Amino acid sequence: MKKIAKISIILLTVLLVLLFSAIIYCFIAIKELDTSLLANKNLLSNFNSQLTFYDIDDNQLDFTTASGKSFVKLEDLPKYVYQAFIAIEDKDFYSHHGLNYKRILKAVFNNIKSGYAKEGASTISQQLIKNIYLSSDKTLKRKIQEAYLTLELEKQYNKEEILETYLNVIYFGNGAIGIENAAKTFFDCNADKLNLAQSATLAGMIKSPSYYSPINNAENCLKRRNLVLSQMKEQNFISEEEYNKALNSPLDLSIQNVLISANAYYQEALKQAQSILNLSEKDVALSNYKIYTYLDKDLQANLSENFQNQMSSLKYNRKIDGTLCVLDNSTAGIIALVTTTNNANLKRQPASLLKPILCYAPAFEKGILSPASPIDDSDIKFGTWQPENVNGKTDGYITVRKALSQSKNIPAVKTLDYVGLDNAKKIAKNLGMEFDAEDNHLALALGAMKHGISPLEMASSYATFANNGQYAPYFLIRKIEDANGKTIFENKTNFQPVISKETAFLISDVLADTITQGTAKKLQTIPLKLSAKTGTVGAMQNNQNTDAWCVSYNKNYTICAWVGNITGDSENNLSNNQNGGTIGANLNKLAWNNLIDREHSWFEKPDSVIKAKIDLKDWQEKHILNLASENTPDRYIMYDYFNEKFLPKNISENFVNVKSPNLTAQKNDEGVILSWDMDKFLEYEIYENDELYDKNCTSPYSIMSNSGENKYYIIAKNKYSDAKNKSNIVTVFDKTKKESSFRKVIKNWSFG
């Protein structure tokens, strides 16, 4: 007995110590709350936490979402709206006093049983406190603070006041705080016009706004909505008839207008804030932060309206999406962004937009190619794969300038092969590209990436060419301040040199030809000098397209447009004539037309970029780059830019020395036929027995029969210089000699 008593005393002492420790821990946790909270006798007086956004001029933006701005009275809502939230979130809402101890014990038991904290027990009152005052940290200290404030809340307010505030402060995703904003965002109506199915949808979303998003995860959202409806029926909030009618209703979203508007910029800025602050979307949205963006309010408004009109004209009963963004090259800040999708950062295959980045920039950087370099646009196989040009035609040797500006596929693949995949990807990564382990093939030259790239990322990559080879990732956010006005983040754009200024200029200069004589001719009507690149992804099964791209830029701005079919259904494909050079370029025009009145400049040529004279004869006949000589006439000179480091070293001898022609002769009944290889750059004189016979002769040349022995040679002269050279001498004998003698003489013709 003494032993049992002793053990009991020890256990009781341990329990008392643990209890005392727990009380002390709770006391400390509560004391760590802000003193204003501890003394607050009106906890809902400051409920309208809001996330405020500002444009590039520090003006508050209209699309700022704030619960206090869209407050809805409980009495103005149909009963089923708030009953849906009670049914799924807190069915004992009216019977508990803030904490549901039964649910807490059940959750603790289930969590211990499963071995991890998979189940929560928060009441509506607890959720309200957490949304207004606390973070989403799942720590014991935070839960103690939440419980304390919840009990205080229940002392100060009745259930209707708590429920009303709760509905106006909870976060639904997509930037929507509060039931009114959620109704407008997802159903394009006011909260008092929500039907039963819509109310159940919104109530189901708040557990996990991303996982149950009707935009991103419609199937999950529908299952969750139906669970809410079943709970409402079980709890006698709705009848069997109401349940069945709502159960068979579609999600019925009406989000298109919102997503095309300035809200698109808000969504991406909100995502970037999450990444910067390492917080959940909900915590950022309810943070009272002030977020200062790069947004140009007027440009955004103009693009929103006109972009919607252009996209509507493309559809013809198809589901076609698009994104258009404008980047300020000096800051790498996105100043305007419109989209029809729920994700402006959606990655798509970039098609030919990858050619300057992955193929030609690395080739220019290494001195393997220059804009004037000859490249063979002829069929070639790499194993079993044979790349083809879009029109199925090949042009033989063409300049790299033509190959890139006209977006030829075969030369791009050959260039990537010359450069090497590893070297090319290394440089492309420095321009913001991300590659999967499976992206290890030459089809990358044509944009065949596993995951692709987003329009925002593409704009950043191309802005590298505009910024003298310096790369900086795009930003939508300039600065973030907390609720007290303290700056907790400030973007200091950090440009990193990733390619030479020479390569950047050469790429930009070549891409200017894309507008004048290449695939982006629709941009010719813009009264600015621009560089551009288009890209089109063809559908696998038919003569249609799935994606159309166009990027254009000058020193000041970079614009990227993407249009495509993200459904995967062939009936939503673009037509064959809807490509990067048509719809992609037209969207770029839309943006440039709104920028015409601003300051614009073209790229200043670096001193280390030389405009050189290339001998066209060597280029055409030998497919090599030699500098033209002083004697080379203008009509046989090709001008182009070179990085001084890779300027051709050799000077052509075409118009300096003349190669000795090889002359042959044939005797027939009429006389003599002289033959030699003609050169279009030379003129020829014929000499008979050292006397001039004729000028400006062409091969073959006939001479009437002459008796006796005759010697012939020709003098080749350069048309444009004094250079000349003599051919070999050919001796011809008259056929009047005896047959035997003739044969013997024929064998001894002299060609020396």
Side-chain angles (χ1 to χ4, degrees):
M1 290 293 292
K2 289 182 179 180
K3 187 175 182 180
I4 294 174
K6 188 175 181 179
I7 293 173
S8 298
I9 292 171
I10 293 172
L11 289 175
L12 181 60
T13 302
V14 171
L15 288 174
L16 288 172
V17 170
L18 290 174
L19 180 60
F20 181 74
S21 299
I23 293 171
I24 295 297
Y25 184 83
C26 291
F27 177 77
I28 293 172
I30 293 169
K31 288 295 288 183
E32 286 184 4
L33 284 168
D34 190 288
T35 53
S36 62
L37 283 178
L38 290 172
N40 197 339
K41 301 303 180 184
N42 190 8
L43 284 170
L44 296 187
S45 63
N46 192 34
F47 79 92
N48 60 333
S49 58
Q50 64 181 41
L51 181 65
T52 312
F53 281 78
Y54 298 85
D55 67 10
I56 188 67
D57 297 317
D58 293 344
N59 298 313
Q60 185 171 324
L61 291 167
D62 295 337
F63 58 80
T64 294
T65 305
S67 57
K69 285 189 169 185
S70 305
F71 188 84
V72 180
K73 292 282 188 181
L74 198 66
E75 61 192 38
D76 294 333
L77 294 172
K79 285 186 177 181
Y80 54 72
V81 174
Y82 54 82
Q83 287 171 343
F85 290 87
I86 292 172
I88 194 65
E89 289 296 317
D90 191 1
K91 67 180 181 179
D92 298 320
F93 174 68
Y94 286 107
S95 60
H96 64 65
H97 298 288
L99 303 178
N100 191 329
Y101 300 105
K102 183 179 177 181
R103 283 182 66 190
I104 292 172
L105 290 173
K106 182 181 177 182
V108 170
F109 175 78
N110 289 337
N111 290 340
I112 292 173
K113 186 178 177 182
S114 64
Y116 64 99
K118 72 170 186 176
E119 189 173 318
S122 293
T123 63
I124 283 177
S125 300
Q126 286 176 275
Q127 291 181 46
L128 177 56
I129 286 295
K130 180 173 64 176
N131 284 340
I132 296 174
Y133 294 113
L134 302 173
S135 71
S136 296
D137 296 340
K138 294 181 179 180
T139 62
L140 180 59
K141 181 193 296 183
R142 209 273 305 156
K143 294 298 289 184
I144 291 170
Q145 293 171 341
E146 177 189 296
Y148 170 78
L149 291 174
T150 298
L151 293 173
E152 289 296 309
L153 177 71
E154 290 269 344
K155 291 177 186 177
Q156 296 177 17
Y157 298 94
N158 63 40
K159 292 293 185 179
E160 285 69 28
E161 290 172 320
I162 292 172
L163 183 59
E164 183 178 81
T165 306
Y166 170 78
L167 290 173
N168 281 282
V169 78
I170 50 178
Y171 184 65
F172 291 87
N174 275 86
I177 302 174
I179 189 74
E180 180 72 7
N181 288 318
K184 289 178 179 177
T185 297
F186 297 104
F187 301 112
D188 199 22
C189 69
N190 294 325
D192 60 0
K193 302 299 182 185
L194 288 167
N195 61 36
L196 174 58
Q198 292 169 338
S199 302
T201 298
L202 295 179
M205 290 168 56
I206 61 172
K207 181 180 180 181
S208 178
S210 177
Y211 185 76
Y212 294 116
S213 167
I215 302 172
N216 300 331
N217 296 298
E219 186 177 347
N220 296 343
C221 181
L222 196 61
K223 289 179 180 178
R224 180 73 175 170
R225 182 203 72 175
N226 294 342
L227 175 63
V228 174
L229 291 170
S230 68
Q231 289 294 308
M232 293 182 74
K233 186 184 73 167
E234 270 187 37
Q235 296 168 42
N236 298 317
F237 286 133
I238 58 174
S239 66
E240 185 77 28
E241 182 182 353
E242 290 173 318
Y243 168 74
N244 288 326
K245 182 180 178 181
L247 193 69
N248 293 314
S249 299
L251 284 178
D252 192 28
L253 297 181
S254 300
I255 58 172
Q256 192 72 358
N257 290 341
V258 174
L259 289 174
I260 290 177
S261 72
N263 199 45
Y265 195 102
Y266 167 84
Q267 290 297 324
E268 289 306 315
L270 185 59
K271 290 177 186 175
Q272 192 166 75
Q274 289 175 247
S275 176
I276 291 169
L277 301 173
N278 195 27
L279 294 174
S280 69
E281 180 183 355
K282 179 179 178 180
D283 284 345
V284 174
L286 299 172
S287 62
N288 269 322
Y289 289 148
K290 293 181 179 180
I291 297 182
Y292 296 83
T293 72
Y294 289 98
L295 183 74
D296 184 311
K297 190 175 181 179
D298 292 337
L299 178 63
Q300 179 75 25
N302 290 334
L303 290 189
S304 294
E305 179 181 355
N306 294 310
F307 176 76
Q308 184 177 356
N309 294 336
Q310 283 212 21
M311 289 303 301
S312 297
S313 69
L314 294 175
K315 294 188 176 180
Y316 307 111
N317 298 318
R318 293 172 295 168
K319 180 68 173 69
I320 295 177
D321 286 293
T323 298
L324 176 65
C325 64
V326 182
L327 182 144
D328 183 333
N329 295 333
S330 65
T331 63
I334 299 294
I335 62 172
L337 170 64
V338 286
T339 183
T340 63
T341 73
N342 63 300
N343 181 11
N345 240 327
L346 182 72
K347 293 180 183 291
R348 300 291 291 179
Q349 294 218 343
S352 293
L353 261 65
L354 214 56
K355 291 174 183 174
I357 296 168
L358 186 69
C359 305
Y360 295 106
F364 288 3
E365 194 75 352
K366 300 292 184 181
I368 297 171
L369 296 174
S370 69
S373 295
I375 191 164
D376 190 7
D377 180 30
S378 299
D379 290 333
I380 188 172
K381 274 191 174 183
F382 297 92
T384 58
W385 178 56
Q386 182 172 330
E388 295 183 355
N389 293 327
V390 173
N391 59 7
K393 298 178 180 179
T394 57
D395 290 336
Y397 277 94
I398 58 176
T399 62
V400 165
R401 180 177 290 276
K402 181 177 180 180
L404 177 52
S405 62
Q406 297 188 4
S407 202
K408 296 275 191 175
N409 288 341
I410 295 172
V413 177
K414 289 181 177 180
T415 299
L416 181 56
D417 188 41
Y418 297 159
V419 172
L421 273 168
D422 291 341
N423 290 331
K425 286 198 289 187
K426 182 178 179 181
I427 291 177
K429 286 176 183 177
N430 290 335
L431 274 74
M433 295 284 163
E434 294 181 356
F435 297 97
D436 186 82
E438 295 182 21
D439 293 334
N440 200 33
H441 46 77
L442 291 177
L444 273 181
L446 312 182
M449 301 173 71
K450 181 177 180 180
H451 299 300
I453 188 170
S454 76
L456 294 171
E457 293 167 331
M458 188 63 79
S460 290
S461 294
Y462 270 81
T464 307
F465 299 128
N467 283 318
N468 295 320
Q470 297 186 91
Y471 170 79
Y474 73 87
F475 265 85
L476 293 89
I477 297 174
R478 293 182 289 129
K479 182 174 67 173
I480 301 176
E481 292 180 353
D482 65 15
N484 299 316
K486 179 183 177 183
T487 299
I488 57 176
F489 167 79
E490 187 168 6
N491 179 37
K492 300 184 186 302
T493 306
N494 184 20
F495 287 102
Q496 293 292 325
V498 295
I499 57 174
S500 67
K501 59 185 177 181
E502 294 84 6
T503 293
F505 176 83
L506 293 175
I507 290 290
S508 296
D509 187 70
V510 172
L511 292 183
D513 287 1
T514 304
I515 296 173
T516 58
Q517 52 197 8
T519 58
K521 291 179 181 177
K522 284 191 175 293
L523 292 175
Q524 287 180 352
T525 57
I526 302 297
L528 300 170
K529 186 170 183 181
L530 305 172
S531 296
K533 186 71 190 77
T534 64
T536 306
V537 180
M540 296 290 290
Q541 296 84 8
N542 50 44
N543 193 30
Q544 296 176 327
N545 300 317
T546 61
D547 299 83
W549 291 83
C550 183
V551 175
S552 55
Y553 63 95
N554 63 8
K555 186 68 177 173
N556 307 89
Y557 302 100
T558 298
I559 295 170
C560 182
W562 164 84
V563 178
N565 169 19
I566 63 176
T567 68
D569 299 325
S570 59
E571 60 265 26
N572 292 320
N573 281 343
L574 304 172
S575 63
N576 184 46
N577 62 358
Q578 291 179 318
N579 52 52
T582 56
I583 56 177
N586 279 334
L587 286 176
N588 274 244
K589 282 176 63 176
L590 168 64
W592 285 114
N593 282 330
N594 282 278
L595 295 168
I596 292 294
D597 295 333
R598 306 194 182 191
E599 182 180 345
H600 296 280
S601 60
W602 182 242
F603 307 104
E604 185 177 345
K605 183 181 75 65
D607 292 339
S608 50
V609 170
I610 307 298
K611 191 170 188 179
K613 297 190 296 183
I614 300 300
D615 187 282
L616 190 58
K617 186 174 186 294
D618 279 346
W619 195 102
Q620 291 176 337
E621 296 181 358
K622 302 176 184 177
H623 311 306
I624 59 174
L625 290 176
N626 280 332
L627 297 174
S629 69
E630 293 181 358
N631 295 322
T632 305
D634 288 344
R635 61 181 294 194
Y636 297 112
I637 292 176
M638 176 173 67
Y639 293 86
D640 216 327
Y641 289 114
F642 289 84
N643 183 336
E644 189 175 28
K645 283 168 50 178
F646 307 121
L647 189 68
K649 306 298 183 187
N650 297 325
I651 298 176
S652 172
E653 296 184 355
N654 286 325
F655 300 93
V656 178
N657 299 311
V658 174
K659 183 180 178 181
S660 175
N662 182 33
L663 180 67
T664 61
Q666 182 177 358
K667 190 77 174 67
N668 58 24
D669 293 338
E670 285 76 30
V672 178
I673 299 176
L674 300 178
S675 301
W676 65 94
D677 291 332
M678 291 283 294
D679 188 318
K680 64 182 179 180
F681 298 98
L682 302 179
E683 294 177 342
Y684 299 92
E685 296 177 346
I686 295 177
Y687 285 81
E688 183 181 59
N689 299 324
D690 292 325
E691 293 185 6
L692 178 63
Y693 185 85
D694 199 0
K695 295 181 178 180
N696 298 325
C697 306
T698 58
S699 175
Y701 187 92
S702 297
I703 298 177
M704 298 302 292
S705 177
N706 289 319
S707 60
E709 178 182 326
N710 296 290
K711 294 181 179 180
Y712 297 95
Y713 60 86
I714 60 175
I715 299 292
K717 293 184 175 182
N718 194 312
K719 297 178 183 179
Y720 309 100
S721 70
D722 295 331
K724 60 183 179 180
N725 209 337
K726 179 181 177 182
S727 74
N728 54 302
I729 297 173
V730 177
T731 303
V732 179
F733 297 91
D734 185 33
K735 196 176 178 181
T736 57
K737 294 182 178 290
K738 293 181 179 180
E739 190 70 19
S740 59
S741 174
F742 172 74
R743 287 177 182 170
K744 183 177 180 181
V745 171
I746 287 293
K747 290 181 182 180
N748 288 286
W749 277 2
S750 171
F751 295 94

